[in-house]
Amino acid sequence: MTNLPVREMVLYKHGVGFFVRGGELSGNSVLLTFRADEINDVLKSLAVFDRAEGGQVLGIHYQTPMDRAKRLKSSSINLASHTSLTDLIRDLRGRHVVMSFETLPGRMDNITGRVIGIEVPSSNDDSDPQLTLLSVEGEVRVFPLETLRTFTIEDGQSEQDLSYFLDTSMSEDDRRVVNVRLNDASHDLVVSYVAPSPTWRVSYRVVAESEEGGSTGKALLQGWGLFDNRLEEDLNDVRVTLVAGQPISFIYDLYSSRIPHRQTVKDEARTTGPIEFDAPSYGMSSSENDLQQAVVRTAGLSHRIGEVHDGAAVTDYMEQERARGINIPMVRERLTAAQTTKSQAEGKATGETFQYIVNTPVSVKRGESALVPIVSAEVEYERELLYNHSKFQNNPVAALRFTNGTGLTLERGPVTLVEDNNYKGEAIIEFTTDGNAVYLPYAIELGVNMKVETNTASEHHSLNIEDGYLLEQWYWITQTSYTIENTTDESKTVAVEQALGSQDELYQTREPDSETLNEKRWQVEVGAKATEVFRVNKRYMGGKKHVLLNLKFEQIQRWADKRYLDQELFEELGELSKTLAFIKKTRDGNQTLRNEREEIYGKQEQYRANLGALQSTGKEATLRDRVLEQLTASQDRLDEIEKAITLGERTIAESEKRVEAIIVSLTK
């Protein structure tokens, strides 16, 4: 690809790059070579434009993906590296050839015919290999192989198979070649594609100068973008753009060749029944239209190619690119920032991403990396001490805070801080859009000691009755005490930071001085050689539903003892609970009576059987009278049980009506 050098590359943080190559050339094809791990991204994004008058892109071809052994197996010619001549003659058996032999010194005999074969002596035979031909005259001719000087293959298929074998042998397993077919004319090509690329990185420097008092000052914020040249060529005068953000990207296997499974149908006699086939599985195809659409999608990703309306071509190309001899289909919108220090890169907001457009072309040798300046701006800062128990337990952290007024989005990266010509420490700049705060904790303040104590408690909130439930609510309270000991000779202000959950609320605590998305911060003044205690109380509400019909009097009594219930509500709930307990006791009693009744029924059956078997006269008469007395007594007991059950059911019904009335009264 040396005749199509890289003109522009746009690098993203998620491991891909958008590359544009271009140049003038002649001929009817150009070969593009890619790594094996790049080919799927290339096939889903590759687009080729020919801007020369009369120039045309006829198609894009690439080798069907098979490993070398499989590709060579499909050829009638297979040659080993150390016996290629004998293997070639062997594979040409039966093919028409014209061979020249040096039968005498300086004398050449040309033989036209068909190859019969070659006799190669065994390892213990020192004779020379012999080549056998069937000449057009019908003679079988034998020649020593060593006398063969040249030959021409007269069979077209064999000639193609030999070329195929040589082309396949020449290819490397870790490289993939894409052939762009062109018409016979002069061409001015622009090729764009997406390919895997090492993620670019950013590092910052803050050179600060404090003002009198030491808590504020001005600083120069400088950012450098670092990227690697992973390409197998040097990059010369390439336009570089580094994109902050995270576009969605994935690998889609377009390169692998796949043949869907189809049902095998045998020839059979005609029948009146239906013939069923498997549902077809449709694959994906590539065409010039697919590639045209791919570059439009790629353009939207990189924000380099203009909008396409009704399939129209790409927008005008940049004048400065024309001056360099190549017009790349890109649109650059320059952004100026009102800064005291001129930025080394221009920024451009592009929806969900932000671009750092490096002002000057970059040259990077193959296998090397480069740092390019992308941010340079003066900011005003404040310094403070920040304490968060979950991040550093014993001491606050010295931090520098400023507003991102660069006009640029700051990508996440490390920063080294120098203040008043002294190295102060290092921090991480998080992903920060323009106008938002940057917070850089860079050192531990050992002169201020912190001690944290946490206590938890619960506090009753309310009891409410609705829809047949009693809702009990309470607060879970967490009190955090911060003891701040300042051992220095200067007064200190410590920003105490604490996280609050989505359901937490501050409780008996002053409003925070500032806050982030997840934390609140309070400024606490601590005098020299002094100690201060600051408390943060937070709470969240919990609750539990009690079914009124399941309430126990013991629970109601506990609520009353804790004064959660007034006397009227206590009496109503108490009556409800006692009534429910009475209903349960009555039902249990009725069930016991029913069980007894079933036992009596069983005994009566036995009594009646005994009466039928005993005589009313003689010795059995006395026994019969006794059984009759037992039967009479059991019947009397049954009558008593029936009366008791009936009374119990009536009492239950009356009690249930009372329960309903109490619940109605409670829920009013």
Side-chain angles (χ1 to χ4, degrees):
M1 295 184 58
T2 54
N3 54 343
L4 283 180
V6 175
R7 298 297 191 183
E8 176 112 11
M9 61 182 188
V10 183
L11 303 180
Y12 294 82
K13 295 287 289 184
H14 63 295
V16 301
F18 178 68
F19 299 89
V20 178
R21 296 176 177 271
E24 297 180 357
L25 52 88
S26 59
N28 57 14
S29 69
V30 60
L31 299 181
L32 311 177
T33 303
F34 302 98
R35 289 186 177 91
D37 62 348
E38 299 174 334
I39 193 65
N40 279 305
D41 283 313
V42 169
L43 290 179
K44 75 179 181 183
S45 60
L46 180 66
V48 183
F49 302 89
D50 192 341
R51 295 176 293 110
E53 184 176 355
Q56 271 189 313
V57 178
L58 302 180
I60 300 175
H61 297 255
Y62 61 93
Q63 199 167 44
T64 303
M66 292 189 294
D67 59 48
R68 185 184 299 177
K70 288 183 178 179
R71 291 199 299 267
L72 293 178
K73 190 175 180 180
S74 64
S75 172
S76 65
I77 294 179
N78 275 280
L79 312 179
S81 58
H82 58 287
T83 57
S84 56
L85 178 58
T86 55
D87 289 347
L88 177 59
I89 295 173
R90 175 202 63 203
D91 292 343
L92 290 176
R93 170 177 283 186
R95 312 297 174 91
H96 291 273
V97 295
V98 177
M99 291 187 168
S100 297
F101 297 92
E102 189 175 6
T103 54
L104 293 173
R107 176 183 170 181
M108 305 296 295
D109 287 345
N110 296 327
I111 307 298
T112 300
R114 300 174 67 188
V115 176
I116 296 177
I118 186 170
E119 298 292 333
V120 179
S122 61
S123 59
N124 55 5
D125 187 350
D126 58 357
S127 59
D128 296 328
Q130 302 293 313
L131 175 60
T132 308
L133 297 173
L134 176 63
S135 68
V136 292
E137 292 84 8
E139 296 179 337
V140 176
R141 305 286 299 272
V142 180
F143 297 92
L145 181 61
E146 65 179 8
T147 63
L148 179 63
R149 295 294 177 262
T150 63
F151 68 92
T152 303
I153 302 174
E154 295 289 305
D155 180 80
Q157 182 61 52
S158 298
E159 186 178 356
Q160 289 184 15
D161 285 352
L162 178 58
S163 296
Y164 177 79
F165 173 84
L166 295 176
D167 291 341
T168 302
S169 299
M170 182 180 63
S171 65
E172 301 179 54
D173 288 342
D174 60 344
R175 297 291 182 272
R176 301 293 184 265
V177 177
V178 175
N179 184 6
V180 180
R181 293 180 53 246
L182 310 168
N183 64 334
D184 289 324
S186 296
H187 306 280
D188 185 3
L189 291 184
V190 175
V191 177
S192 64
Y193 58 88
V194 171
S197 178
T199 181
W200 69 276
R201 290 85 73 198
V202 62
S203 65
Y204 299 94
R205 297 94 173 99
V206 171
V207 181
E209 183 177 346
S210 63
E211 296 178 347
E212 186 176 353
S215 62
T216 60
K218 293 184 178 181
L220 175 65
L221 171 65
Q222 191 178 71
W224 292 78
L226 187 153
F227 67 93
D228 311 314
N229 180 9
R230 185 176 179 264
L231 303 174
E232 297 183 348
E233 61 189 279
D234 294 343
L235 299 176
N236 295 309
D237 293 336
V238 175
R239 293 282 185 181
V240 175
T241 299
L242 308 177
V243 180
Q246 191 171 356
I248 295 174
S249 183
F250 50 85
I251 296 175
Y252 196 102
D253 189 359
L254 293 174
Y255 183 67
S256 298
S257 179
R258 183 173 65 91
I259 300 178
H261 171 74
R262 293 180 297 162
Q263 182 182 15
T264 300
V265 181
K266 298 180 180 179
D267 190 14
E268 59 182 20
R270 295 178 180 173
T271 63
T272 56
I275 301 175
E276 297 182 359
F277 295 89
D278 288 343
S281 176
Y282 296 99
M284 297 188 67
S285 61
S286 296
S287 66
E288 290 187 54
N289 182 62
D290 292 332
L291 295 169
Q292 181 82 357
Q293 294 302 317
V295 76
V296 172
R297 292 192 295 272
T298 303
L301 180 66
S302 67
H303 306 284
R304 276 293 181 270
I305 300 177
E307 293 183 359
V308 175
H309 300 281
D310 300 326
V314 186
T315 57
D316 293 338
Y317 309 116
M318 298 174 54
E319 291 296 334
Q320 55 183 314
E321 297 298 299
R322 287 195 183 96
R324 296 172 59 224
I326 177 70
N327 294 335
I328 300 176
M330 299 178 185
V331 177
R332 295 184 182 276
E333 296 178 10
R334 298 301 185 183
L335 188 69
T336 58
Q339 303 168 352
T340 56
T341 303
K342 188 178 184 300
S343 175
Q344 300 300 304
E346 295 185 359
K348 177 183 176 184
T350 53
E352 294 75 19
T353 61
F354 189 91
Q355 295 179 351
Y356 300 98
I357 306 171
V358 181
N359 288 331
T360 57
V362 177
S363 297
V364 185
K365 290 187 176 297
R366 174 182 177 180
E368 292 186 357
S369 301
L371 282 85
V372 292
I374 59 175
V375 177
S376 182
E378 186 177 276
V379 297
E380 295 183 355
Y381 70 88
E382 296 181 8
R383 192 189 312 108
E384 70 178 21
L385 297 178
L386 176 66
Y387 178 75
N388 187 311
H389 181 261
S390 64
K391 297 178 181 178
F392 200 85
Q393 296 185 6
N394 300 324
N395 308 94
V397 176
L400 185 147
R401 182 182 66 220
F402 62 87
T403 299
N404 177 17
T406 64
L408 307 170
T409 294
L410 303 181
E411 181 57 85
R412 186 178 189 273
V415 57
T416 300
L417 176 63
V418 175
E419 186 181 38
D420 298 331
N421 297 320
N422 294 314
Y423 166 76
K424 290 292 188 177
E426 299 170 5
I428 296 292
I429 290 183
E430 298 294 339
F431 186 90
T432 309
T433 55
D434 184 43
N436 288 307
V438 178
Y439 206 83
L440 305 179
Y442 60 85
I444 307 300
E445 176 52 86
L446 299 177
V448 177
N449 300 318
M450 305 291 298
K451 182 180 178 181
V452 179
E453 294 180 352
T454 301
N455 297 305
T456 59
S458 63
E459 181 182 281
H460 172 76
H461 177 261
S462 63
L463 286 172
N464 296 302
I465 298 174
E466 57 182 33
D467 298 331
Y469 292 93
L470 188 148
L471 177 60
E472 180 185 11
Q473 292 181 301
W474 62 87
Y475 282 116
W476 289 110
I477 300 174
T478 301
Q479 181 185 75
T480 306
S481 297
Y482 297 90
T483 302
I484 309 172
E485 180 189 24
N486 179 12
T487 65
T488 71
D489 296 326
E490 299 178 353
S491 177
K492 299 287 185 181
T493 300
V494 178
V496 175
E497 180 180 84
Q498 187 176 125
L500 265 68
S502 60
Q503 297 181 349
D504 289 336
E505 64 175 357
L506 293 175
Y507 171 65
Q508 296 180 354
T509 303
R510 66 179 172 88
E511 287 297 313
D513 297 294
S514 61
E515 58 185 79
T516 65
L517 182 62
N518 299 310
E519 290 92 10
K520 309 289 186 182
R521 292 176 182 170
W522 292 265
Q523 302 285 343
V524 182
E525 298 287 340
V526 186
K529 303 292 185 179
T531 300
E532 292 286 341
V533 177
F534 176 72
R535 293 181 177 88
V536 176
N537 299 320
K538 63 182 181 180
R539 66 185 184 183
Y540 72 89
M541 184 175 291
K544 181 179 180 181
K545 279 187 174 182
H546 302 273
V547 180
L548 288 176
L549 296 178
N550 293 337
L551 287 178
K552 301 294 188 293
F553 184 77
E554 293 79 6
Q555 178 66 63
I556 298 172
Q557 185 65 57
R558 284 195 294 270
W559 288 331
D561 293 343
K562 294 180 180 180
R563 301 184 182 277
Y564 296 166
L565 304 172
D566 59 32
Q567 186 62 31
E568 181 181 357
L569 182 58
F570 168 69
E571 290 176 356
E572 287 189 282
L573 289 176
E575 183 182 358
L576 174 64
S577 175
K578 291 176 181 178
T579 304
L580 290 171
F582 174 76
I583 291 173
K584 183 180 185 304
K585 183 179 179 180
T586 304
R587 283 176 174 162
D588 291 344
N590 275 5
Q591 186 60 45
T592 301
L593 291 174
R594 290 188 182 94
N595 294 339
E596 183 183 355
R597 184 175 61 185
E598 291 301 318
E599 292 179 2
I600 293 174
Y601 285 156
K603 290 180 180 179
Q604 284 184 335
E605 290 297 325
Q606 185 63 42
Y607 294 155
R608 291 187 181 95
N610 291 339
L611 286 175
L614 295 172
Q615 298 293 327
S616 59
T617 59
K619 294 181 179 180
E620 293 183 357
T622 302
L623 181 58
R624 189 173 186 279
D625 290 341
R626 188 183 303 171
V627 173
L628 186 59
E629 290 175 359
Q630 291 174 336
L631 181 60
T632 301
S634 65
Q635 186 59 46
D636 292 341
R637 179 57 184 160
L638 283 177
D639 293 340
E640 293 174 357
I641 290 173
E642 289 299 332
K643 290 180 181 179
I645 290 176
T646 301
L647 179 60
E649 293 295 337
R650 187 184 307 121
T651 303
I652 290 172
E654 293 173 353
S655 299
E656 287 178 338
K657 289 181 180 179
R658 179 56 188 155
V659 167
E660 292 177 2
I662 294 173
I663 291 177
V664 170
S665 175
L666 289 171
T667 54
K668 284 183 179 179

PDB file of all heavy atoms in Angstrom, residues 568-581:
ATOM      1  N   GLU A 568     -57.872   5.272  72.645  1.00  0.00           N
ATOM      2  CA  GLU A 568     -59.018   4.842  71.848  1.00  0.00           C
ATOM      3  C   GLU A 568     -58.605   3.782  70.830  1.00  0.00           C
ATOM      4  O   GLU A 568     -59.276   2.749  70.678  1.00  0.00           O
ATOM      5  CB  GLU A 568     -59.644   6.049  71.144  1.00  0.00           C
ATOM      6  CG  GLU A 568     -60.872   5.689  70.312  1.00  0.00           C
ATOM      7  CD  GLU A 568     -61.460   6.892  69.597  1.00  0.00           C
ATOM      8  OE1 GLU A 568     -60.939   8.025  69.800  1.00  0.00           O
ATOM      9  OE2 GLU A 568     -62.425   6.712  68.832  1.00  0.00           O
ATOM     10  N   LEU A 569     -57.497   4.057  70.133  1.00  0.00           N
ATOM     11  CA  LEU A 569     -57.040   3.086  69.137  1.00  0.00           C
ATOM     12  C   LEU A 569     -56.598   1.794  69.810  1.00  0.00           C
ATOM     13  O   LEU A 569     -56.846   0.699  69.296  1.00  0.00           O
ATOM     14  CB  LEU A 569     -55.889   3.685  68.320  1.00  0.00           C
ATOM     15  CG  LEU A 569     -55.319   2.808  67.205  1.00  0.00           C
ATOM     16  CD1 LEU A 569     -56.409   2.416  66.216  1.00  0.00           C
ATOM     17  CD2 LEU A 569     -54.180   3.527  66.479  1.00  0.00           C
ATOM     18  N   PHE A 570     -55.948   1.950  70.970  1.00  0.00           N
ATOM     19  CA  PHE A 570     -55.535   0.746  71.690  1.00  0.00           C
ATOM     20  C   PHE A 570     -56.742  -0.099  72.059  1.00  0.00           C
ATOM     21  O   PHE A 570     -56.733  -1.341  71.919  1.00  0.00           O
ATOM     22  CB  PHE A 570     -54.752   1.132  72.942  1.00  0.00           C
ATOM     23  CG  PHE A 570     -54.522  -0.004  73.883  1.00  0.00           C
ATOM     24  CD1 PHE A 570     -53.670  -1.053  73.549  1.00  0.00           C
ATOM     25  CD2 PHE A 570     -55.177  -0.050  75.113  1.00  0.00           C
ATOM     26  CE1 PHE A 570     -53.474  -2.115  74.420  1.00  0.00           C
ATOM     27  CE2 PHE A 570     -54.980  -1.111  75.981  1.00  0.00           C
ATOM     28  CZ  PHE A 570     -54.129  -2.146  75.630  1.00  0.00           C
ATOM     29  N   GLU A 571     -57.814   0.534  72.547  1.00  0.00           N
ATOM     30  CA  GLU A 571     -59.001  -0.214  72.951  1.00  0.00           C
ATOM     31  C   GLU A 571     -59.655  -0.889  71.756  1.00  0.00           C
ATOM     32  O   GLU A 571     -60.092  -2.045  71.846  1.00  0.00           O
ATOM     33  CB  GLU A 571     -59.988   0.721  73.654  1.00  0.00           C
ATOM     34  CG  GLU A 571     -59.503   1.192  75.028  1.00  0.00           C
ATOM     35  CD  GLU A 571     -60.450   2.189  75.665  1.00  0.00           C
ATOM     36  OE1 GLU A 571     -61.441   2.568  74.996  1.00  0.00           O
ATOM     37  OE2 GLU A 571     -60.198   2.603  76.808  1.00  0.00           O
ATOM     38  N   GLU A 572     -59.717  -0.171  70.633  1.00  0.00           N
ATOM     39  CA  GLU A 572     -60.328  -0.773  69.440  1.00  0.00           C
ATOM     40  C   GLU A 572     -59.496  -1.952  68.931  1.00  0.00           C
ATOM     41  O   GLU A 572     -60.036  -3.013  68.604  1.00  0.00           O
ATOM     42  CB  GLU A 572     -60.476   0.280  68.345  1.00  0.00           C
ATOM     43  CG  GLU A 572     -61.578   1.281  68.615  1.00  0.00           C
ATOM     44  CD  GLU A 572     -61.832   2.172  67.420  1.00  0.00           C
ATOM     45  OE1 GLU A 572     -61.031   3.108  67.216  1.00  0.00           O
ATOM     46  OE2 GLU A 572     -62.804   1.927  66.686  1.00  0.00           O
ATOM     47  N   LEU A 573     -58.185  -1.742  68.847  1.00  0.00           N
ATOM     48  CA  LEU A 573     -57.328  -2.842  68.397  1.00  0.00           C
ATOM     49  C   LEU A 573     -57.342  -3.988  69.397  1.00  0.00           C
ATOM     50  O   LEU A 573     -57.303  -5.168  69.013  1.00  0.00           O
ATOM     51  CB  LEU A 573     -55.898  -2.336  68.195  1.00  0.00           C
ATOM     52  CG  LEU A 573     -55.655  -1.422  66.996  1.00  0.00           C
ATOM     53  CD1 LEU A 573     -54.214  -0.918  66.988  1.00  0.00           C
ATOM     54  CD2 LEU A 573     -55.964  -2.149  65.689  1.00  0.00           C
ATOM     55  N   GLY A 574     -57.403  -3.642  70.704  1.00  0.00           N
ATOM     56  CA  GLY A 574     -57.465  -4.691  71.712  1.00  0.00           C
ATOM     57  C   GLY A 574     -58.731  -5.501  71.594  1.00  0.00           C
ATOM     58  O   GLY A 574     -58.706  -6.746  71.684  1.00  0.00           O
ATOM     59  N   GLU A 575     -59.865  -4.801  71.410  1.00  0.00           N
ATOM     60  CA  GLU A 575     -61.128  -5.521  71.238  1.00  0.00           C
ATOM     61  C   GLU A 575     -61.082  -6.388  69.985  1.00  0.00           C
ATOM     62  O   GLU A 575     -61.560  -7.528  69.985  1.00  0.00           O
ATOM     63  CB  GLU A 575     -62.294  -4.529  71.168  1.00  0.00           C
ATOM     64  CG  GLU A 575     -63.653  -5.221  71.060  1.00  0.00           C
ATOM     65  CD  GLU A 575     -64.805  -4.239  70.940  1.00  0.00           C
ATOM     66  OE1 GLU A 575     -64.553  -3.023  70.981  1.00  0.00           O
ATOM     67  OE2 GLU A 575     -65.953  -4.696  70.787  1.00  0.00           O
ATOM     68  N   LEU A 576     -60.494  -5.831  68.899  1.00  0.00           N
ATOM     69  CA  LEU A 576     -60.366  -6.609  67.667  1.00  0.00           C
ATOM     70  C   LEU A 576     -59.546  -7.874  67.911  1.00  0.00           C
ATOM     71  O   LEU A 576     -59.932  -8.977  67.505  1.00  0.00           O
ATOM     72  CB  LEU A 576     -59.712  -5.759  66.578  1.00  0.00           C
ATOM     73  CG  LEU A 576     -59.388  -6.476  65.260  1.00  0.00           C
ATOM     74  CD1 LEU A 576     -60.666  -6.939  64.576  1.00  0.00           C
ATOM     75  CD2 LEU A 576     -58.583  -5.571  64.331  1.00  0.00           C
ATOM     76  N   SER A 577     -58.423  -7.702  68.590  1.00  0.00           N
ATOM     77  CA  SER A 577     -57.553  -8.844  68.826  1.00  0.00           C
ATOM     78  C   SER A 577     -58.239  -9.888  69.709  1.00  0.00           C
ATOM     79  O   SER A 577     -58.172 -11.093  69.442  1.00  0.00           O
ATOM     80  CB  SER A 577     -56.251  -8.370  69.477  1.00  0.00           C
ATOM     81  OG  SER A 577     -55.434  -9.465  69.814  1.00  0.00           O
ATOM     82  N   LYS A 578     -58.905  -9.415  70.785  1.00  0.00           N
ATOM     83  CA  LYS A 578     -59.577 -10.357  71.684  1.00  0.00           C
ATOM     84  C   LYS A 578     -60.722 -11.069  70.973  1.00  0.00           C
ATOM     85  O   LYS A 578     -60.947 -12.267  71.172  1.00  0.00           O
ATOM     86  CB  LYS A 578     -60.087  -9.625  72.919  1.00  0.00           C
ATOM     87  CG  LYS A 578     -58.973  -9.126  73.835  1.00  0.00           C
ATOM     88  CD  LYS A 578     -59.533  -8.328  75.004  1.00  0.00           C
ATOM     89  CE  LYS A 578     -58.420  -7.817  75.909  1.00  0.00           C
ATOM     90  NZ  LYS A 578     -58.930  -7.004  77.036  1.00  0.00           N
ATOM     91  N   THR A 579     -61.463 -10.325  70.153  1.00  0.00           N
ATOM     92  CA  THR A 579     -62.562 -10.941  69.411  1.00  0.00           C
ATOM     93  C   THR A 579     -62.030 -11.997  68.449  1.00  0.00           C
ATOM     94  O   THR A 579     -62.604 -13.092  68.314  1.00  0.00           O
ATOM     95  CB  THR A 579     -63.359  -9.873  68.644  1.00  0.00           C
ATOM     96  OG1 THR A 579     -63.811  -8.873  69.554  1.00  0.00           O
ATOM     97  CG2 THR A 579     -64.554 -10.486  67.936  1.00  0.00           C
ATOM     98  N   LEU A 580     -60.926 -11.660  67.756  1.00  0.00           N
ATOM     99  CA  LEU A 580     -60.328 -12.637  66.840  1.00  0.00           C
ATOM    100  C   LEU A 580     -59.843 -13.860  67.609  1.00  0.00           C
ATOM    101  O   LEU A 580     -59.984 -15.003  67.136  1.00  0.00           O
ATOM    102  CB  LEU A 580     -59.164 -11.986  66.085  1.00  0.00           C
ATOM    103  CG  LEU A 580     -59.550 -10.912  65.060  1.00  0.00           C
ATOM    104  CD1 LEU A 580     -58.299 -10.195  64.552  1.00  0.00           C
ATOM    105  CD2 LEU A 580     -60.308 -11.539  63.889  1.00  0.00           C
ATOM    106  N   ALA A 581     -59.273 -13.642  68.804  1.00  0.00           N
ATOM    107  CA  ALA A 581     -58.817 -14.779  69.610  1.00  0.00           C
ATOM    108  C   ALA A 581     -59.999 -15.633  70.063  1.00  0.00           C
ATOM    109  O   ALA A 581     -59.925 -16.877  70.085  1.00  0.00           O
ATOM    110  CB  ALA A 581     -58.031 -14.263  70.812  1.00  0.00           C
TER     111      ALA A 581
END
